[in-house]
Coordinates of all heavy atoms in Angstrom, one line a residue:
P461 N 2.9 -22.3 2.0 CA 2.4 -22.1 3.4 C 3.1 -21.1 4.2 O 2.5 -20.4 5.1 CB 2.6 -23.5 4.0 CG 3.6 -24.2 3.2 CD 3.4 -23.6 1.8
E469 N -1.7 -13.5 9.0 CA -1.4 -12.6 10.2 C -1.5 -11.2 9.9 O -2.0 -10.4 10.7 CB 0.0 -12.9 10.7 CG 0.4 -12.2 11.9 CD 1.8 -12.4 12.4 OE1 2.5 -13.2 11.8 OE2 2.2 -11.7 13.4
L474 N -4.3 -6.2 11.1 CA -4.9 -5.0 10.6 C -6.3 -4.9 11.0 O -6.8 -3.8 11.5 CB -4.8 -4.9 9.1 CG -5.3 -3.7 8.4 CD1 -4.7 -2.4 9.0 CD2 -5.1 -3.7 6.9
E552 N -1.7 30.1 -6.4 CA -2.9 29.4 -6.0 C -2.5 28.2 -5.1 O -1.5 27.5 -5.5 CB -3.8 28.9 -7.1 CG -4.5 30.0 -7.8 CD -5.5 29.5 -8.8 OE1 -5.2 28.4 -9.4 OE2 -6.6 30.1 -9.0
V581 N -2.5 19.8 4.5 CA -3.9 20.0 4.8 C -4.5 18.6 5.2 O -4.4 17.6 4.4 CB -4.6 20.6 3.6 CG1 -6.1 20.7 4.0 CG2 -4.1 22.0 3.3
D613 N -17.2 3.4 2.5 CA -17.4 2.3 1.6 C -16.2 1.8 1.0 O -16.1 0.6 0.7 CB -18.4 2.7 0.5 CG -19.8 3.1 1.1 OD1 -20.0 4.2 1.6 OD2 -20.6 2.2 1.1
L728 N 10.0 29.6 4.6 CA 11.0 30.6 5.1 C 11.0 31.8 4.2 O 10.4 31.8 3.1 CB 12.4 30.0 5.2 CG 12.5 28.8 6.3 CD1 13.7 28.0 6.0 CD2 12.5 29.4 7.6
K740 N 21.9 23.4 8.3 CA 21.9 23.2 9.8 C 21.1 21.9 10.1 O 21.5 21.2 11.1 CB 21.4 24.4 10.5 CG 22.3 25.6 10.5 CD 21.8 26.8 11.3 CE 22.7 27.9 11.3 NZ 24.0 27.6 12.0
K742 N 20.8 19.3 8.3 CA 21.7 18.1 7.9 C 22.8 17.9 8.9 O 23.1 16.8 9.3 CB 22.3 18.4 6.5 CG 23.1 17.2 6.0 CD 23.6 17.5 4.6 CE 24.4 16.3 4.1 NZ 24.9 16.5 2.7

Side-chain angles (χ1 to χ4, degrees):
E469 183 183 357
L474 184 52
E552 288 189 326
V581 176
D613 294 84
L728 295 162
K740 288 184 177 294
K742 184 176 180 182

